[in-house]
Amino acid sequence: MFARTTPWPLVALFTAGYLSPYLLPTTVGRLDSGLPVSATQAGVIGSALLLSSAAAGFLLASRVDRAGPRTLARAGLLLAVLGYGGAALTGYVPAVVAGVLAGGFGSGTVTAVAATGIAAQRDPHRVTTLGLLGVSALAAAVYLTVPHLGPGHGQPLAAIALTALAVWPLTARLSPRTARTVAVTRGPKLPHLRSGLLLAAAMPCWSAAQNSLWGVSGRIGLTQAHLGEVTVGVVFAVALGAGLLGVVAAGALGPRLGQALPIGLGTVLIAGCIALSASATDLRTFASGEIAWNLLYPVVLSYVIGLAASLDPRGRWAVLVGSASSLGTAVGPMTGSLLSARAGFPAMGAVLAAGLLAVAVPLTAVALRRRTTTVTTAYPSLTDAPVRLDVAA
């Protein structure tokens, strides 16, 4: 799994870009408890962060190779450091919102660079699983640490900013520009249009369901299951640890099960986990739902990202589908807050589970349409080699 040719800068960028969604429960919870805002308003701020990230992806989907991965990665990391860092250091709500928006745009920029580079690799699924492994491990460490650092809204935001700062040196190994090294592939400007559009249309719903639960999971544990913050943090850390196992399993399985089975069946099982977690009234049920869900979520996500990457070796579908997913992620905290406030957590879980069961159909249909003997690339011949970003091994 850890081959000498692993593009570690892309793995690091993936980790930095995805950390903010992974820390969403503690970020929203800390905004609620540490600032003069309501739970719903904190959810809206979390949604604004992720919406800003999605906007960056849509704007940059076809521009990474022209602007250069090193330039864009550094710009995104700088925005993340300044935005999240500034938001962590102030208690003035408008300034926090402005910092979160800037940081979210930075995260989206970094993710766009990572997704474009990963799609250009010979084995995008392997690189994706390594990125998910990194972000899951880092998020688990943050969840274990934050409760012991005292109250306030700044700790999770500071963690994201410091991660971006730590990744900065690795950008030196990215190509400053790709225009000279890109081998332009023949064919339509955006290949597999029907499959790509169907995948891009389904992913906001898929992500919205996931993050509607994730955005209120802390409140479920605290208010409905009557657990303390330290206990909830431990549950999240263990759950993310289970996510590490899921990522390792996905990397080990690779193409053996194809894409349709992990995506379709995995989504159905996730729906059951969401319903279980949302109805939890004690530690056992809450932990079971969260751990099982976090075990399955990165597995399915890794195959979905690999599926999007296989649609276009230049990475445009990977970025567009990732940004569409971020739209769903963005509305997640607000959706979960509104549904739970009006109908309660169990009813919210039932609605989200039903939505996931419905969206599993088009996701599986795209995976079946793109069925190949490998999930690594849709271009098995070296004469059809994908576009590559220069990244030192």
Side-chain angles (χ1 to χ4, degrees), residues 9-10 13 60 62-78 106 108-118 120-121 167-168 170-182 314 319 387-392:
L10 297 179
L13 289 174
L60 300 173
S62 61
R63 294 178 171 86
V64 174
D65 56 347
R66 282 182 284 175
R70 183 190 298 173
T71 301
L72 279 181
R74 286 180 172 177
L77 292 172
L78 180 61
T109 301
V110 170
T111 302
V113 175
T116 302
I118 288 172
Q121 301 299 306
V167 169
W168 179 281
L170 293 177
T171 59
R173 296 171 62 184
L174 295 172
S175 171
R177 293 192 63 83
T178 59
R180 298 178 182 176
T181 58
V182 169
R314 294 181 64 184
V319 177
V387 177
R388 300 192 180 281
L389 300 181
D390 285 348
V391 180

Side-chain angles (χ1 to χ4, degrees), residues 1 13 22 58 66 69 119 121 149 208 219 295 301 350 388:
M1 190 174 186
L13 289 174
Y22 267 69
F58 283 120
R66 282 182 284 175
Q121 301 299 306
L149 298 179
R219 287 164 51 201
L295 175 67
L301 180 61
R388 300 192 180 281

Side-chain angles (χ1 to χ4, degrees), residues 86-110:
L89 294 174
T90 180
Y92 182 53
V93 174
V96 171
V97 173
V100 161
L101 289 175
F105 197 90
S107 292
T109 301
V110 170

